[in-house]
Amino acid sequence: MAFIFDHLVAFLVGATLLGGLLFFQQRGQQTAIQSTVRYRAETQAASFVEVLSRDLENARTRQQAKVALGLYEADDVTSGGGPRERALGVHTSGGELEWFQFVTLADPSLGEASPLIAVAYRMEPTGEQTTASGQVRDLHRVVRYVYDGTGGWAEAGGSPATVVGLDLVVPGGATGRLTELPARLDVQV
Protein backbone atom coordinates (compact mmCIF):
# COMPACT_ATOMS: atom_id res chain seq x y z
CA MET A 1 0.00 0.00 0.00
CA ALA A 2 2.83 2.37 0.88
CA PHE A 3 4.37 1.62 -2.52
CA ILE A 4 1.20 2.79 -4.33
CA PHE A 5 0.87 5.84 -2.09
CA ASP A 6 4.52 6.88 -2.75
CA HIS A 7 4.05 6.54 -6.49
CA LEU A 8 0.78 8.49 -6.40
CA VAL A 9 2.41 11.35 -4.46
CA ALA A 10 5.38 11.35 -6.86
CA PHE A 11 2.98 11.42 -9.83
CA LEU A 12 1.02 14.37 -8.36
CA VAL A 13 4.20 16.33 -7.56
CA GLY A 14 5.58 15.64 -11.05
CA ALA A 15 2.32 16.61 -12.74
CA THR A 16 2.16 19.84 -10.71
CA LEU A 17 5.73 20.75 -11.66
CA LEU A 18 5.11 19.92 -15.31
CA GLY A 19 1.88 21.99 -15.30
CA GLY A 20 3.74 24.93 -13.74
CA LEU A 21 6.53 24.72 -16.31
CA LEU A 22 4.03 24.56 -19.18
CA PHE A 23 2.20 27.60 -17.75
CA PHE A 24 5.41 29.64 -17.53
CA GLN A 25 6.43 28.54 -21.04
CA GLN A 26 3.08 29.59 -22.49
CA ARG A 27 3.18 32.91 -20.65
CA GLY A 28 6.68 33.55 -21.99
CA GLN A 29 5.50 32.84 -25.54
CA GLN A 30 2.54 35.23 -25.16
CA THR A 31 4.84 37.97 -23.90
CA ALA A 32 7.23 37.45 -26.80
CA ILE A 33 4.37 37.54 -29.33
CA GLN A 34 2.91 40.70 -27.77
CA SER A 35 6.33 42.37 -27.86
CA THR A 36 6.78 41.46 -31.52
CA VAL A 37 3.32 42.72 -32.49
CA ARG A 38 3.84 45.97 -30.56
CA TYR A 39 7.26 46.52 -32.14
CA ARG A 40 5.85 45.91 -35.62
CA ALA A 41 2.93 48.31 -35.02
CA GLU A 42 5.25 51.01 -33.66
CA THR A 43 7.60 50.58 -36.64
CA GLN A 44 4.72 50.86 -39.13
CA ALA A 45 3.33 53.91 -37.33
CA ALA A 46 6.73 55.60 -37.25
CA SER A 47 7.23 54.90 -40.96
CA PHE A 48 3.80 56.37 -41.78
CA VAL A 49 4.42 59.50 -39.69
CA GLU A 50 7.82 59.94 -41.36
CA VAL A 51 6.22 59.88 -44.84
CA LEU A 52 3.47 62.27 -43.72
CA SER A 53 6.03 64.66 -42.19
CA ARG A 54 8.17 64.54 -45.32
CA ASP A 55 5.16 65.32 -47.51
CA LEU A 56 4.10 68.24 -45.32
CA GLU A 57 7.63 69.64 -45.13
CA ASN A 58 7.76 69.73 -48.93
CA ALA A 59 4.24 71.06 -49.53
CA ARG A 60 4.04 73.51 -52.42
CA THR A 61 2.12 76.73 -52.97
CA ARG A 62 -0.94 77.07 -55.17
CA GLN A 63 1.09 78.67 -57.97
CA GLN A 64 3.73 75.93 -57.91
CA ALA A 65 0.98 73.30 -58.02
CA LYS A 66 -0.76 75.05 -60.92
CA VAL A 67 2.45 75.22 -62.96
CA ALA A 68 3.24 71.55 -62.37
CA LEU A 69 -0.18 69.92 -62.52
CA GLY A 70 -2.54 72.49 -64.04
CA LEU A 71 -6.06 72.23 -62.70
CA TYR A 72 -6.02 68.76 -61.16
CA GLU A 73 -9.01 66.86 -59.80
CA ALA A 74 -9.12 66.33 -56.08
CA ASP A 75 -12.39 67.00 -54.33
CA ASP A 76 -13.10 63.38 -53.50
CA VAL A 77 -10.00 61.25 -53.64
CA THR A 78 -11.91 58.05 -54.31
CA SER A 79 -14.23 59.20 -57.09
CA GLY A 80 -12.54 62.23 -58.62
CA GLY A 81 -14.16 65.61 -58.79
CA GLY A 82 -14.09 68.81 -60.72
CA PRO A 83 -10.95 70.76 -61.50
CA ARG A 84 -9.71 72.74 -58.51
CA GLU A 85 -6.88 75.12 -57.87
CA ARG A 86 -5.65 75.39 -54.29
CA ALA A 87 -2.71 74.87 -51.98
CA LEU A 88 -4.51 72.75 -49.38
CA GLY A 89 -7.85 70.97 -49.32
CA VAL A 90 -9.33 69.97 -45.96
CA HIS A 91 -12.59 68.02 -45.86
CA THR A 92 -14.46 67.41 -42.62
CA SER A 93 -17.79 65.76 -41.93
CA GLY A 94 -19.61 66.07 -38.64
CA GLY A 95 -16.60 67.77 -37.08
CA GLU A 96 -14.33 64.84 -37.97
CA LEU A 97 -11.51 65.09 -40.52
CA GLU A 98 -12.17 62.79 -43.49
CA TRP A 99 -9.28 63.74 -45.76
CA PHE A 100 -6.80 66.45 -46.61
CA GLN A 101 -4.92 67.02 -49.83
CA PHE A 102 -1.97 69.12 -51.02
CA VAL A 103 0.86 69.15 -53.56
CA THR A 104 4.36 68.05 -52.58
CA LEU A 105 7.65 66.82 -54.06
CA ALA A 106 7.57 63.31 -55.52
CA ASP A 107 11.21 62.69 -54.52
CA PRO A 108 12.52 65.17 -51.92
CA SER A 109 16.10 63.92 -52.39
CA LEU A 110 16.11 65.58 -55.85
CA GLY A 111 15.30 68.99 -54.36
CA GLU A 112 13.79 71.50 -56.78
CA ALA A 113 14.38 69.10 -59.69
CA SER A 114 11.79 66.72 -58.27
CA PRO A 115 8.45 66.48 -60.06
CA LEU A 116 5.38 67.51 -58.09
CA ILE A 117 2.54 65.22 -57.12
CA ALA A 118 -0.73 65.77 -55.31
CA VAL A 119 -1.14 63.63 -52.20
CA ALA A 120 -4.24 63.00 -50.14
CA TYR A 121 -4.54 61.37 -46.75
CA ARG A 122 -7.95 59.82 -46.17
CA MET A 123 -9.41 58.16 -43.05
CA GLU A 124 -10.96 54.82 -43.96
CA PRO A 125 -12.79 52.69 -41.36
CA THR A 126 -11.61 49.12 -40.79
CA GLY A 127 -14.86 47.88 -39.25
CA GLU A 128 -13.09 46.99 -36.01
CA GLN A 129 -13.21 48.66 -32.60
CA THR A 130 -10.97 49.06 -29.58
CA THR A 131 -11.28 50.49 -26.10
CA ALA A 132 -9.20 53.63 -25.57
CA SER A 133 -9.40 55.67 -22.37
CA GLY A 134 -12.46 53.70 -21.29
CA GLN A 135 -14.39 54.46 -24.51
CA VAL A 136 -15.12 52.13 -27.40
CA ARG A 137 -13.58 53.71 -30.51
CA ASP A 138 -13.73 52.73 -34.18
CA LEU A 139 -10.41 51.80 -35.76
CA HIS A 140 -9.34 53.42 -39.03
CA ARG A 141 -6.53 53.26 -41.51
CA VAL A 142 -5.14 56.48 -42.95
CA VAL A 143 -4.56 55.78 -46.64
CA ARG A 144 -2.14 57.86 -48.72
CA TYR A 145 -3.28 58.52 -52.29
CA VAL A 146 -1.09 60.02 -55.02
CA TYR A 147 -2.15 61.97 -58.12
CA ASP A 148 0.63 62.81 -60.59
CA GLY A 149 -1.47 64.88 -63.01
CA THR A 150 -1.72 62.21 -65.70
CA GLY A 151 -4.36 59.84 -64.33
CA GLY A 152 -6.57 59.21 -61.35
CA TRP A 153 -5.70 58.78 -57.72
CA ALA A 154 -3.65 55.71 -56.81
CA GLU A 155 -3.17 54.26 -53.34
CA ALA A 156 0.44 54.65 -52.23
CA GLY A 157 0.79 53.37 -48.70
CA GLY A 158 -0.78 54.35 -45.45
CA SER A 159 -0.90 53.75 -41.75
CA PRO A 160 -1.51 50.51 -39.89
CA ALA A 161 -5.19 49.77 -39.23
CA THR A 162 -4.91 50.96 -35.62
CA VAL A 163 -5.69 54.68 -35.89
CA VAL A 164 -8.50 55.97 -33.67
CA GLY A 165 -8.26 59.57 -34.82
CA LEU A 166 -6.68 61.97 -37.30
CA ASP A 167 -6.81 65.70 -36.86
CA LEU A 168 -5.36 68.52 -38.94
CA VAL A 169 -5.45 71.89 -37.21
CA VAL A 170 -5.15 74.90 -39.50
CA PRO A 171 -4.63 78.30 -37.82
CA GLY A 172 -7.99 80.05 -37.64
CA GLY A 173 -9.84 76.71 -37.95
CA ALA A 174 -10.16 76.98 -41.74
CA THR A 175 -11.45 74.04 -43.75
CA GLY A 176 -12.36 73.52 -47.39
CA ARG A 177 -10.19 74.84 -50.22
CA LEU A 178 -7.35 77.01 -48.96
CA THR A 179 -5.75 79.01 -51.74
CA GLU A 180 -2.65 79.80 -49.69
CA LEU A 181 -0.58 77.29 -47.74
CA PRO A 182 -0.70 78.13 -44.01
CA ALA A 183 2.61 78.85 -42.31
CA ARG A 184 1.85 76.17 -39.73
CA LEU A 185 -0.21 72.96 -39.66
CA ASP A 186 -0.66 70.71 -36.66
CA VAL A 187 -1.34 67.05 -37.41
CA GLN A 188 -2.37 64.58 -34.72
CA VAL A 189 -2.61 60.87 -35.43
Side-chain angles (χ1 to χ4, degrees):
M1 186 71 171
F3 174 75
I4 295 174
F5 184 68
D6 286 342
H7 279 75
L8 184 60
V9 169
F11 176 75
L12 289 176
V13 169
T16 303
L17 287 174
L18 183 62
L21 289 174
L22 289 174
F23 171 77
F24 286 120
Q25 174 67 24
Q26 184 181 19
R27 184 71 177 143
Q29 277 182 321
Q30 285 178 330
T31 302
I33 290 169
Q34 288 172 349
S35 295
T36 302
V37 168
R38 181 178 177 171
Y39 174 76
R40 191 172 298 156
E42 287 176 354
T43 302
Q44 289 174 341
S47 174
F48 168 71
V49 170
E50 183 179 327
V51 170
L52 175 59
S53 297
R54 184 198 69 213
D55 283 347
L56 285 170
E57 287 172 359
N58 294 299
R60 297 295 161 201
T61 66
R62 177 175 57 118
Q63 288 302 323
Q64 290 170 324
K66 184 178 177 183
V67 168
L69 300 175
L71 297 175
Y72 59 93
E73 298 178 17
D75 264 346
D76 184 346
V77 296
T78 57
S79 66
R84 305 288 182 247
E85 180 183 339
R86 64 177 164 274
L88 176 68
V90 181
H91 186 266
T92 60
S93 177
E96 297 288 323
L97 179 67
E98 284 192 2
W99 57 267
F100 62 97
Q101 174 268 322
F102 56 95
V103 174
T104 188
L105 297 178
D107 184 2
S109 64
L110 296 177
E112 294 298 320
S114 173
L116 298 183
I117 57 171
V119 294
Y121 288 88
R122 180 184 176 94
M123 288 278 288
E124 295 184 356
T126 63
E128 297 180 21
Q129 294 181 327
T130 189
T131 302
S133 302
Q135 295 180 348
V136 176
R137 307 277 308 266
D138 292 330
L139 289 176
H140 295 83
R141 180 171 181 254
V142 181
V143 180
R144 180 179 186 259
Y145 290 94
V146 173
Y147 180 85
D148 63 7
T150 60
W153 290 94
E155 186 175 326
S159 73
T162 57
V163 175
V164 293
L166 175 68
D167 196 17
L168 177 75
V169 179
V170 179
T175 60
R177 295 181 194 101
L178 304 175
T179 56
E180 297 303 323
L181 196 61
R184 178 179 169 191
L185 293 171
D186 292 326
V187 178
Q188 298 174 357
V189 180

